[in-house]
Amino acid sequence: MDEVEVVVSHNERATLRVGDVYLKVDGDSEHADVEIRAMAMAPIPTPRVLWHESPVLAIAAVPGAALGVLGEPSPASQAAWSAAGAAVRRLHEAPLPPWPGRRLDDVADRLDRECAWLLDNGVLPAEVVRRNREIAEPALSPRKPVFIHGDLQLDHVFVDGDEVTGVIDWSEAAPGDAMFDLAILTLGHEERLDDLLAGYGTADVDREVIRAWWSLRSLTASRWLTEHGFDPNAPGCEFDVLRARMLDS
């Protein structure tokens, strides 16, 4: 039997790797349902579904290596980042999935709650929280929805050389703001945005909104990360993203 590797484990879900098979165990059955449907619709490479018996979804590993991980320099080439941008563009131009996305009112409510938590608990200096809350405001304006991945972290995009070989973890896929995907993919790797846009294109890209999503994502994710065993204060991670906004003109 192949060795079992625990990839992710917390009180909401766990992912195990056994050889070339990933077993995703999720307490919310809707996540697997969305993931399966989204991968079937996406016009870009995705993992092959092997079987699904709730609460377990088994998928095949994709070839290649991730673009990188948060907190470390990306080893991928400019051409690989450009290829990732082109893949994201194809996704955003695909027909919308038929299920609803997040309501902006709900996003705004969560942002206010998480900022209050950060301030009440002294997690970050008040001026960092307040300034990033201001920067996040453009993300709350309505934009034409596209088919987004919804959790497009750079370790969810796999490349082999300069070719995208697979995009994983589709449970948050839905109609949404294209700038959100671009922001999540470059979170903590802002220096790679131009490489990404070389493949994605720039005609309808709003860099202010991308910056807004960098702030909003980092503000709203920090408590969850802390409570689930992750460290948003690690070098290059969410708190550094928030601090970097204080240096923006």
Side-chain angles (χ1 to χ4, degrees), residues 84-104:
V88 177
R89 172 64 78 175
R90 290 197 299 275
L91 176 65
H92 290 172
E93 291 180 343
L96 292 176
W99 55 89
R102 294 185 299 172
R103 297 174 61 250
L104 282 178

Side-chain angles (χ1 to χ4, degrees), residues 44-171:
I44 59 178
T46 64
R48 180 165 55 95
V49 176
L50 302 176
W51 52 267
H52 176 220
E53 186 173 336
S54 186
V56 182
L57 171 63
I59 60 174
V62 297
L67 277 177
V69 295
L70 186 61
E72 299 179 11
S74 168
S77 67
Q78 291 182 340
W81 276 88
S82 178
V88 177
R89 172 64 78 175
R90 290 197 299 275
L91 176 65
H92 290 172
E93 291 180 343
L96 292 176
W99 55 89
R102 294 185 299 172
R103 297 174 61 250
L104 282 178
D105 286 347
D106 293 337
V107 176
D109 287 345
R110 183 182 178 192
L111 176 59
D112 288 340
R113 290 195 307 272
E114 297 305 322
C115 286
W117 180 84
L118 291 168
L119 291 170
D120 291 345
N121 290 275
V123 177
L124 284 165
E127 61 270 23
V128 173
V129 176
R130 294 188 178 115
R131 176 59 182 144
N132 277 275
R133 175 62 182 83
E134 293 173 356
I135 294 171
E137 191 64 30
L140 301 176
S141 297
R143 294 174 60 87
K144 180 181 178 181
V146 301
F147 186 170
I148 67 169
H149 178 278
D151 191 22
L152 199 61
Q153 302 176 53
L154 75 168
D155 57 352
H156 290 169
V157 179
F158 282 70
V159 294
D160 185 359
D162 300 336
E163 178 184 355
V164 175
T165 55
V167 178
I168 66 171
D169 286 0
W170 289 81
S171 62

